[in-house]
Amino acid sequence: MIAVRFHGRGGQGAKTASRILGTAAFSEGFTAQDSPIYGSERRGAPVSAFTRIAKEPIRERGIITRPVLVVVADVSLIGDPAARMLEGIDERTAVFVNSPLTREELRAQTSLPGRLTTLDLTTIAVREFGKRGAISALLGAVAGRLVGLRPESIDRAVAQELADLGVDASLIRRNQTAARHCYEAVPLVPVEKDVRGAPGPTSLRAPTYDPPTRGTASITAGPNSAIRSMSGWRTFRPVLRPDLCNGCWLCFANCPEGAITIKPDGKPAVYYPHCKGCLDCVEVCPTDAMTVERETEATKTT
Amino acid sequence: MAWEYRIFKDLHQIPREEHVFPGTPLCAGCGGLESLRLAAKVLGNHVVYVNAAGCFTNLASFPFTPLDASWLYTTMGSAPAGAQGVRDALDVLIAKGRLPQDEDVKVVVLGGDGSTYDMALSSTSGAITRRLDFYYFCYDNEAYGNTGVQLSPATPYGARTATSPCAVRNPVGAVQEKKDIFEIWRAHRPPYLATVSPRFPLDLEEKFARAAAYRGPKLFLGFAACPTGWLFDPAYTPDVARLAVECGMWPLKEAIDGNVVHTYLPKLSPIEDYLKLQGRFRHLFEPTVQKDALAHIQATVKAYWDRVQQGDSV
Ligand SMILES: Cc1ncc(C[n+]2csc(CCOP(=O)(O)OP(=O)(O)O)c2C)c(N)n1
Ligand code: SF4
């Protein structure tokens, strides 16, 4: 059985990518299973999705803890403990990362284990679609190539899954073109054809509870959410060009996050650990002083 | 008579102090959060938020909170009843001298449109009738958002949601008209009602500042452009919010003691400009243009503004 795990950020299309892969495999006569998992956090938060492909019926269920291939839609997920991207991977796991870096550069930057391969899907998507957006078809195509599925089945699966989501025909065609391009361009690495070694037995542990007499935890807290860094949510970042800024404060007023502060000189400044990368400030800026830069660092602290 | 800004005349008056802090788990580009942040700048921190289950429940999820105010979580149908309990408790404490008279703690219901237009309507009606002194802030994302964007009575005609799909038998999506909750509130004659949009920040701040002078139920309907539910890139939240007002679909207005005043006269640009930005309306344009549906939406908007022009209250 081939067990593939996708990691993305809500809105990037990891879930649909897992469906595209599953549907393509199914159309080639395999049994396939796909399912996503995400928490109550939303767009921008880590999402995982799983696809199992086999010749025989698949009896395993649930999340994939020992994948043979991991597909990572955004470098920021590597360093995000909430994404659990590193779970169950070792030097024999194939790991695809959407990144403009080569596998050697990425290895040097992240010390990721596994058989690394990279391709810059975001640039391909921006070129093909003219804006940022879901890259599900591209992720699905890369995964399909790495596990050895045929290009025609990926093509059909992309059309079917995107049509189910209500994507219009012309955008589906552009997705197919981009997907085919990624299918051909992704540098190949071997993908193990079976789960290596059965997972060890799990011993069940009875949970221990505090006695009710201990009382409840204190639920009095100040505004402490600001200690969380939202940097990992960004796939693009706003960058201010102070020379163009007229100090109108529109960005400060319209930032949903309160990530823009006003400096003593009256000009705004983006505080990146608080910025989720929605780019609303870029949109409202009347002088185009807010510009957009793509995030490429795997470990974003600011 | 044109409406005038009395308190907020310049963007630079927007308080720099934050009362909704960063680090929330809400979506990047959430238009509802944008309104709440601006509102809280005027409301301050002497506030008890009474929240009805919805997206904003994620704001204060243990162990984190972005608020320097208090928070009470209630069921979808009962936030106004919860607000009554909190208000009563505060009044008792003040009467007993255990809370200073001038502490001025505000009770603010924070609910989505699912609770506001639908599930909490009877509880709301009761609270207004009892003249409960509270704010009701509804962030209207025009769907049951938190559970995956299902149809709510706030969903406009023609929008696609998880439970009003564009289907062969029903190509338009939602066939209902958006419920006029503003008028339902107004029929109760509360002292203060307003609609707001975060893309009109001064209008929003001004209204929250004015409302403070009124005792009793005060409603704020906040336009909450929702990139996740309405299917657009989060960068367009401000554009969607601006066009909703400019095309006339989201009138900015205020009603003091029931007298409606429109606080901004929109350009009445074609509704298509607004609809085309959002995936939830794309089926009205592709693969074929649903001319009748678009004409219907445009006619509804026109009829509203014709009535306004004729000086009818709405
Ligand atoms: C009585 C009841 N029914 C259903 C739910 C499940 N539920 C939790 S949040 C939610 C959606 C609320 O929608 P809305 O009020 O529009 O707020 P939004 O999620 O859009 O912010 C639902 C249905 C609930 N909590 N209580
Ligand atoms: S689903 Fe919509 S309303 Fe809810 S948090 Fe996300 S953007 Fe805001």
Side-chain angles (χ1 to χ4, degrees):
Chain A
M1 185 178 67
I2 292 176
V4 183
R5 195 169 69 209
F6 292 85
H7 293 276
R9 296 204 166 268
Q12 278 189 310
K15 170 185 160 188
T16 307
S18 77
R19 292 186 59 97
I20 290 171
L21 182 64
T23 302
F26 186 71
S27 75
E28 290 193 22
F30 294 99
T31 7
Q33 189 194 76
D34 53 63
S35 60
I37 185 168
Y38 35 83
S40 73
E41 295 195 323
R42 316 110 217 279
R43 185 190 267 271
V47 172
S48 311
F50 315 101
T51 309
R52 292 187 174 89
I53 301 171
K55 291 215 174 71
E56 58 287 346
I58 301 170
R59 304 204 190 284
E60 211 174 280
R61 292 288 184 275
I63 63 172
I64 293 175
T65 51
R66 298 166 69 78
V68 295
L69 168 65
V70 174
V71 177
V72 184
D74 191 72
V75 276
S76 68
L77 293 155
I78 300 169
D80 187 341
R84 299 174 67 163
M85 186 250 127
L86 297 170
E87 184 166 326
I89 69 174
D90 59 24
E91 67 287 348
R92 293 205 295 165
T93 318
V95 178
F96 169 82
V97 181
N98 167 23
S99 164
L101 304 182
T102 64
R103 72 179 83 183
E104 290 76 22
E105 288 166 341
L106 189 69
R107 172 106 60 203
Q109 200 185 82
T110 61
S111 62
L112 262 181
R115 299 166 179 162
L116 269 186
T117 172
T118 65
L119 186 65
D120 188 1
L121 304 187
T122 307
T123 297
I124 296 170
V126 169
R127 196 175 59 218
E128 195 66 39
F129 313 139
K131 57 176 193 206
R132 64 177 175 165
I135 50 169
S136 34
L138 289 62
L139 294 167
V142 164
R145 177 70 193 272
L146 292 173
V147 304
L149 296 179
R150 290 195 289 270
E152 313 81 64
S153 17
I154 300 289
D155 216 44
R156 275 196 308 270
V158 166
Q160 183 182 329
E161 292 301 329
L162 296 189
D164 281 356
L165 291 175
V167 175
D168 68 80
S170 79
L171 190 55
I172 291 179
R173 270 194 302 281
R174 275 181 282 152
N175 267 282
Q176 286 172 311
T177 312
R180 178 65 77 104
H181 174 72
C182 297
Y183 183 94
E184 279 154 16
V186 62
L188 295 183
V189 287
V191 173
E192 303 273 319
K193 287 288 177 263
D194 218 337
V195 187
R196 294 140 289 123
T202 315
S203 55
L204 289 177
R205 233 179 323 140
T208 53
Y209 298 106
D210 282 336
T213 47
R214 271 201 65 184
T216 48
S218 166
I219 51 164
T220 313
N224 58 359
S225 64
I227 62 178
R228 304 172 76 196
S229 169
M230 307 319 285
S231 284
W233 283 37
R234 288 192 309 269
T235 46
F236 290 83
R237 67 162 63 190
V239 177
L240 181 75
R241 291 192 42 195
D243 52 316
L244 295 181
C245 172
N246 66 7
C248 71
W249 286 24
L250 265 175
C251 57
F252 163 71
N254 276 277
C255 174
E257 302 302 319
I260 297 182
T261 49
I262 300 295
K263 295 184 294 177
D265 67 358
K267 296 276 179 81
V270 182
Y271 185 61
Y272 289 105
H274 289 162
C275 170
K276 289 177 184 165
C278 70
L279 305 182
D280 286 8
C281 50
V282 176
E283 210 52 31
V284 295
C285 180
T287 63
D288 293 333
M290 279 287 183
T291 57
V292 184
E293 274 176 27
R294 182 169 165 208
E295 297 286 0
T296 49
E297 293 286 310
T299 43
K300 274 180 284 195
T301 48
T302 58
Chain B
M1 178 197 63
W3 192 75
E4 278 174 15
Y5 293 101
R6 277 189 247 127
I7 305 157
F8 284 91
K9 298 185 173 166
D10 180 345
L11 272 180
H12 296 85
Q13 279 176 286
I14 291 181
R16 282 158 71 162
E17 202 176 341
E18 302 286 348
H19 297 291
V20 180
F21 282 63
T24 74
L26 298 193
C27 304
C30 175
L33 182 61
E34 207 176 344
S35 287
L36 177 66
R37 170 175 167 261
L38 288 170
K41 282 173 177 286
V42 177
L43 290 170
N45 60 352
H46 286 198
V47 174
V48 181
Y49 288 101
V50 182
N51 166 246
C55 286
F56 277 21
T57 302
N58 293 285
L59 280 177
S61 43
F62 187 78
F64 294 111
T65 173
L67 305 165
D68 57 1
S70 301
W71 180 265
L72 176 71
Y73 169 56
T74 67
T75 68
M76 282 192 73
S78 70
Q84 178 85 52
V86 173
R87 187 67 262 167
D88 289 351
L90 290 169
D91 290 344
V92 168
L93 289 175
I94 291 170
K96 286 187 174 170
R98 284 165 60 189
L99 202 66
Q101 197 94 47
D102 56 7
E103 183 110 333
D104 185 32
V105 183
K106 300 182 177 78
V107 181
V108 179
V109 166
L110 194 56
D113 49 282
S115 53
T116 304
Y117 286 68
D118 205 4
M119 285 199 209
L121 204 44
S122 82
S123 156
T124 305
S125 177
I128 313 175
T129 306
R130 294 190 304 271
R131 315 305 286 171
L132 174 64
D133 185 23
F134 77 129
Y135 290 75
Y136 193 123
F137 179 67
C138 166
Y139 58 100
D140 188 353
N141 62 2
E142 304 192 325
Y144 283 91
N146 194 39
T147 36
V149 196
Q150 293 88 11
L151 182 83
S152 95
T155 307
Y157 178 89
R160 176 160 67 88
T161 69
T163 45
S164 61
C166 161
V168 176
R169 241 207 259 173
N170 190 20
V172 170
V175 289
Q176 62 176 26
E177 302 296 338
K178 186 179 172 86
K179 189 190 274 183
D180 195 345
I181 195 73
F182 188 89
E183 283 303 299
I184 293 173
W185 264 75
R186 196 165 74 94
H188 290 72
R189 287 292 181 269
Y192 193 88
L193 296 175
T195 61
V196 293
S197 160
R199 192 64 175 89
F200 293 76
L202 284 182
D203 179 275
L204 187 155
E205 301 292 54
E206 174 80 18
K207 286 171 177 168
F208 272 92
R210 282 188 188 192
Y214 299 91
R215 225 185 132 75
K218 298 172 271 288
L219 172 73
F220 285 86
L221 280 180
F223 183 80
C226 169
T228 307
W230 301 2
L231 308 170
F232 62 84
D233 186 294
Y236 296 125
T237 295
D239 289 355
V240 171
R242 180 177 55 82
L243 286 169
V245 171
E246 292 296 6
C247 80
M249 283 182 80
W250 188 265
L252 291 176
K253 55 188 171 180
E254 181 184 71
I256 294 175
D257 295 326
N259 301 312
V260 181
V261 175
H262 284 80
T263 61
Y264 178 79
L265 290 182
K267 296 192 188 77
L268 296 183
S269 49
I271 47 139
E272 282 85 354
D273 294 354
Y274 168 66
L275 305 179
K276 270 189 174 160
L277 272 185
Q278 308 165 56
R280 64 172 174 157
F281 292 114
R282 191 167 49 224
H283 59 285
L284 300 181
F285 301 96
E286 296 169 24
T288 50
V289 180
Q290 299 198 35
K291 289 204 186 80
D292 292 349
L294 293 172
H296 172 79
I297 298 172
Q298 188 69 72
T300 314
V301 174
K302 184 173 180 306
Y304 177 92
W305 288 99
D306 284 349
R307 285 201 303 280
V308 171
Q309 223 93 82
Q310 284 157 16
D312 291 0
S313 53
V314 284

